[in-house]
Amino acid sequence: MKLKEYVRDELSGSEYADKFSKDAAENFTEGKVSSANICLLGVLWDGVAAFGGVRLVGGDNRCSGRVEVLRHDQWGTVCDHGWDLREAYVVCLELGCGLAESALHGAVFGEGRGEIWLRHIQCSGLESSLTRCAVVLHSNAYCTHKNDAGVKCSGTLLMPTLTLLSPHTVFSPGEAVRFGCSVLLGHHLSDFHLYKHGVSTPLVTQRADQTQASGVELTLSDIETFHQGSYSCRYRIKGGFPSQLLSSPPSNSINITVVELLTPHHWYNTSTEAPAGSVLKGHSFNITCTTPQQYPGGSFQLRLIRSNGTVRQSLPALTPTVTFTFPNAQSSNEGYYYCLYRVQMGGRTFVSRESQPLPIAIRDPDPILSPMVISWIVSGLTFIVAVIVIIIVAKVLCNKEKKPSELERETRTCVDNTYVALSINKL
């Protein structure tokens, strides 16, 4: 069969055959075909040929062997005419086998059986499948199974391993977290990336050093609270025609915690008689500390700085607010009070900044207003009032006894008159 007739037959089932087959065949046979026309021929021929999948047979693993393609439900081979790393790269990429290490000729993995479906194929390296590459049709493309093409791929990209180089998993804002990302792969490494779960763009990127072991250190510097979470890494390998980058599967995950202790607030309460900033000696008072952000296992520390030293007290922070109680204020309670919040996590102790100083003075009660004086005054007034009441009552009663009634006055007058009359008669 002549080339023109062969090309027309292969393209006859395409909806584009009437438009392109005649011109393409004539240009090809006359040596006027361009790379664009070759690709066009390949795409059209591929659409008509009804190719299926691609597989590797006879190799040491699924990523090496003789290249076979499926057409009309039958597996056939590929001729090694024009077979090079470009075609091998497309096959490895299509099968998820990493990079192409070698494109093999001469049935290295054994001779196949059946049809030779692709006799001269040319790929750019950008195709998603070998069956999407351009097919070169020419009269001297004579192949046998001794020309079966094969490939050897680097293999499925291995999952890297992420390790934490920092000695702990809990950090404060502003610190740096050091990770290590490594893979058992010594070639074609391009770079490594550190990802935070839920974030699509890498937070840290580090180029691979081909002179060192297959791993790098990834440092997350000057962390903030939003950096808390789960991390993994990936690596990329470089290859293909033109050069492309393939990304590995994600590594294992490592969680880090960022503890940010905010400065607590505090205030005090005491009796209303005390002047501002003071507590009356002998009276009770409370100091309350609170934090806007609480962590499990935290505690509050109250620090008193006085003239003769420092006194500290601690209470567990079961709630965000804790109250320190002083039932009997004495001179030793006078000074400047500071509140701080502390917590232990991941084997580390984190301490907040101290609150602003809270000055408290202990004053003796004013003698005029002291409870004892007031008690004496009240007792004295009560006694005086009682005496006055008794005197008034007694006087009233006495006046009632001395004032005679009308009958008594008449009787007394009568008696007095009789007494006077008797006295006159005697004379």
Side-chain angles (χ1 to χ4, degrees), residues 3-4 7-8 21-34 37 41 137-139:
L3 179 61
K4 291 183 180 180
V7 173
R8 289 192 184 99
S21 60
K22 182 177 179 179
D23 292 341
E26 290 178 352
N27 289 337
F28 190 90
T29 56
E30 294 174 3
K32 299 178 181 179
V33 65
S34 65
N37 288 331
L41 286 173
L137 306 175
H138 50 78
S139 58

Side-chain angles (χ1 to χ4, degrees), residues 353-396:
R353 293 181 179 178
E354 287 188 323
S355 61
Q356 292 295 318
L358 176 64
I360 293 181
I362 306 300
R363 294 188 177 183
D364 290 327
D366 191 336
I368 298 178
L369 299 177
S370 66
M372 185 175 294
V373 171
I374 294 175
S375 177
W376 290 346
I377 293 174
V378 172
S379 299
L381 290 176
T382 303
F383 177 75
I384 293 172
V385 170
V387 170
I388 293 174
V389 170
I390 292 172
I391 293 174
I392 293 173
V393 171
K395 189 173 182 180
V396 170

Side-chain angles (χ1 to χ4, degrees), residues 58-330:
D60 297 333
N61 52 58
R62 60 173 292 271
C63 291
S64 65
R66 180 178 62 254
V67 180
E68 294 188 355
V69 296
L70 184 66
R71 183 186 182 193
H72 301 314
D73 295 326
Q74 293 183 1
W75 288 101
T77 60
V78 178
C79 183
D80 60 10
H81 287 187
W83 187 257
D84 59 24
L85 283 175
R86 289 178 176 82
E87 290 73 35
Y89 175 77
V90 172
V91 172
C92 294
L93 183 64
E94 179 179 0
L95 297 178
C97 288
L99 295 175
E101 294 185 348
S102 56
L104 302 171
H105 300 72
V108 172
F109 295 103
E111 297 181 9
R113 297 180 181 180
E115 298 291 335
I116 301 175
W117 289 129
L118 297 177
R119 294 183 176 274
H120 191 162
I121 190 167
Q122 288 187 350
C123 302
S124 66
L126 298 176
E127 293 84 358
S128 60
S129 172
L130 185 67
T131 60
R132 308 301 299 177
C133 295
V135 177
V136 179
L137 306 175
H138 50 78
S139 58
N140 61 350
Y142 176 78
C143 294
T144 68
H145 283 300
K146 293 184 181 298
N147 303 110
D148 286 343
V151 298
K152 185 177 181 181
C153 307
S154 62
T156 303
L157 296 187
L158 300 176
M159 184 183 79
T161 300
L162 184 67
T163 56
L164 186 63
L165 303 180
S166 298
H168 38 257
T169 60
V170 185
F171 302 87
S172 292
E175 294 184 325
V177 187
R178 296 169 51 241
F179 294 96
C181 187
S182 60
V183 62
L184 297 176
L185 181 68
H187 57 281
H188 302 302
L189 287 173
S190 174
D191 47 28
F192 291 81
H193 301 278
L194 181 69
Y195 290 88
K196 184 177 183 292
H197 180 69
V199 180
S200 59
T201 57
L203 297 183
V204 181
T205 298
Q206 179 67 45
R207 288 191 173 276
D209 187 350
Q210 303 298 334
T211 64
Q212 302 295 327
S214 52
V216 297
E217 180 177 319
L218 302 170
T219 301
L220 190 62
S221 303
D222 196 21
I223 62 172
E224 299 293 340
T225 53
F226 62 81
H227 286 115
Q228 176 172 298
S230 178
Y231 287 82
S232 62
C233 70
R234 294 174 183 260
Y235 65 90
R236 295 191 301 179
I237 59 175
K238 188 176 183 180
F241 299 91
S243 180
Q244 296 184 21
L245 291 171
L246 297 180
S247 184
S248 73
S251 69
N252 57 299
S253 298
I254 293 179
N255 289 301
I256 66 169
T257 303
V258 182
V259 175
E260 183 179 23
L261 300 185
L262 303 178
T263 304
H265 302 285
H266 63 341
W267 63 88
Y268 84 102
N269 293 309
T270 187
S271 57
T272 57
E273 295 87 356
S278 301
V279 176
L280 296 179
K281 191 173 183 179
H283 287 212
S284 65
F285 69 99
N286 300 323
I287 296 180
T288 301
C289 299
T290 184
T291 180
Q293 190 166 3
Q294 184 188 14
Y295 290 89
S299 64
F300 283 101
Q301 184 179 92
L302 183 66
R303 188 165 71 103
L304 168 62
I305 298 180
R306 55 190 186 183
S307 58
N308 59 348
T310 301
V311 179
R312 291 180 174 86
Q313 297 184 54
S314 294
L315 285 176
L318 302 179
T319 62
T321 301
V322 166
T323 299
F324 294 84
T325 301
F326 301 86
N328 185 18
Q330 299 298 321

